[in-house]
Amino acid sequence: MAARPKVAFLGTGGTISSLGWDSLDVLDYTATGQRLDAEAILARVPEARTIADIVAVPFRAVPSPAIGFAEWRALANLCAELAGAHPDLAGIVIGHGTATLEETAYALSLTLAVDCPVVMVGAQRPISALSSDAGLNLVAALRTAADPASRGRGVLVVLNDEIQAAREVTKTSVGRLQTFRTPDFGVLGQVDGPAVRYYRRAERRHGPGTPFDIRALPALPRVDVSYAYADADGTAVRAFVAAGAQGLVSAGLAPGMTPPGEADALAAAVAAGVIVVQSTRAGSGVVPATTRLRERGILSADNLTPQKARILLALALTVSRDPADVAEMFATY
């Protein structure tokens, strides 16, 4: 028999690691405070070890709202260490809560220095629940990470038998299993039993080889998101600037507009030296670089959601504060 591919599995917590009050608890399980580490998750899914020779890596077990830059930096360093320690490593799987999974996935896709596939996986139902999706999602993620066809595609997100690109995917439902979607473009591929099938590639650049190196970075520049709504008067924008924001993302009204008071506050922020990027709360579609935006010195987020535009803007500001350079990065990544 051929040797099984070697895949590292890191657990960061989240629903995929959670134990509820009983097998019917699919809503209140976070209240138990019980989360399994990587080795304990694998013990509950023995089928996983039939897919790959798994290196279980201790990390931490927290709900994903507690995950941010410090964890992204630690994961980037840990992935680099694993790739160096295991030259035969076929891929890496990272278990993660679904609340911020798309943000961690995009941040890592822009900053990882490893060339083996890295796959993010989560679950909508705790691992203790009746009909939990945790076990099969993990198996599908391991199959994807171990498949040579996954190499060179950036960080991937695998849930519900679907493979999606870190830049494009977003969580669209609180509780449904098909929550992760790529609204404009659809999935990259699917996992059907043992078969990993790809049908397209995401075209935007990703790591390794980006200018964004966070492995020794103490912190990211402060970038905040201002959410637009009818009658928004710019109070939030002014508060963010007063708090020291170096960049702002406007989650504007589609197709990338803001009420007059908010627009004036954003223009004042630009005049104060803050880089402002216009996204939209719509969840899909490109924000056009209109005359109105250009005259106000506001950049387009392209089709990035506000939460992902925030990540790219913060990383861009570690490289350049020139708006033209930042605009080029939004057109590239």
Side-chain angles (χ1 to χ4, degrees), residues 3-265:
R4 288 189 293 270
K6 181 183 287 187
V7 177
F9 174 54
L10 290 66
T12 70
T15 299
I16 194 171
S17 73
S18 294
L19 299 176
W21 298 108
D22 55 42
S23 63
L24 296 181
D25 178 16
V26 296
L27 299 175
D28 196 37
Y29 51 89
T30 58
T32 70
Q34 297 185 74
R35 298 179 191 88
L36 306 177
D37 63 15
E39 194 64 66
I41 292 171
L42 291 169
R44 282 189 168 246
V45 190
E47 297 86 352
R49 293 197 184 275
T50 70
I51 305 300
D53 175 14
I54 302 175
V55 180
V57 183
F59 187 70
R60 64 196 68 173
V62 296
S64 66
I67 291 179
F69 172 72
E71 288 72 28
W72 302 340
R73 180 182 58 201
L75 287 169
N77 279 302
L78 186 51
C79 287
E81 291 169 11
L82 286 167
H86 301 276
D88 57 342
L89 195 64
I92 298 170
V93 172
I94 301 175
H96 199 288
T98 58
T100 59
L101 187 150
E102 66 195 82
E103 290 171 76
T104 296
Y106 187 48
L108 292 180
S109 195
L110 292 172
T111 59
L112 284 178
V114 300
D115 59 4
C116 67
V118 175
V119 177
M120 303 284 301
V121 65
Q124 285 290 86
R125 298 172 180 166
I127 199 167
S128 58
L130 180 69
S131 194
S132 171
D133 55 331
L136 201 55
N137 283 352
L138 177 58
V139 166
L142 290 166
R143 283 173 165 153
T144 302
D147 196 300
S150 299
R151 189 174 293 269
R153 296 179 183 268
V155 173
L156 302 170
V157 173
V158 173
L159 288 93
N160 200 39
D161 300 330
E162 295 176 330
I163 309 169
Q164 317 225 31
R167 183 189 182 277
E168 300 169 351
V169 71
T170 191
K171 186 175 181 180
T172 64
S173 172
V174 170
R176 302 287 77 84
L177 300 188
Q178 71 277 17
T179 181
F180 281 94
R181 289 281 187 247
T182 297
D184 288 326
F185 310 116
V187 301
L188 300 181
Q190 298 169 331
V191 184
D192 295 317
V196 176
R197 298 188 174 98
Y198 285 100
Y199 296 95
R200 72 174 185 90
R201 284 184 175 272
E203 292 297 322
R204 292 301 178 93
R205 285 181 56 190
H206 50 74
T210 73
F212 312 122
D213 188 353
I214 64 171
R215 288 173 291 177
L217 202 64
L220 286 176
R222 178 169 184 139
V223 175
D224 291 293
V225 178
S226 176
Y227 194 91
Y229 51 89
D231 291 330
D233 62 3
T235 298
V237 171
R238 289 187 290 271
F240 288 139
V241 174
Q246 298 176 48
L248 284 173
V249 174
S250 169
L253 313 171
M257 305 174 72
T258 51
E262 183 101 341
D264 290 343

Side-chain angles (χ1 to χ4, degrees), residues 234-301:
T235 298
V237 171
R238 289 187 290 271
F240 288 139
V241 174
Q246 298 176 48
L248 284 173
V249 174
S250 169
L253 313 171
M257 305 174 72
T258 51
E262 183 101 341
D264 290 343
L266 291 171
V270 172
V274 178
I275 303 293
V276 176
V277 171
Q278 186 65 62
S279 181
T280 171
R281 68 185 197 181
S284 68
V286 174
V287 172
T290 60
T291 299
R292 176 180 52 82
L293 289 183
R294 292 196 305 272
E295 288 177 345
R296 291 177 177 266
I298 296 175
L299 309 179
S300 167

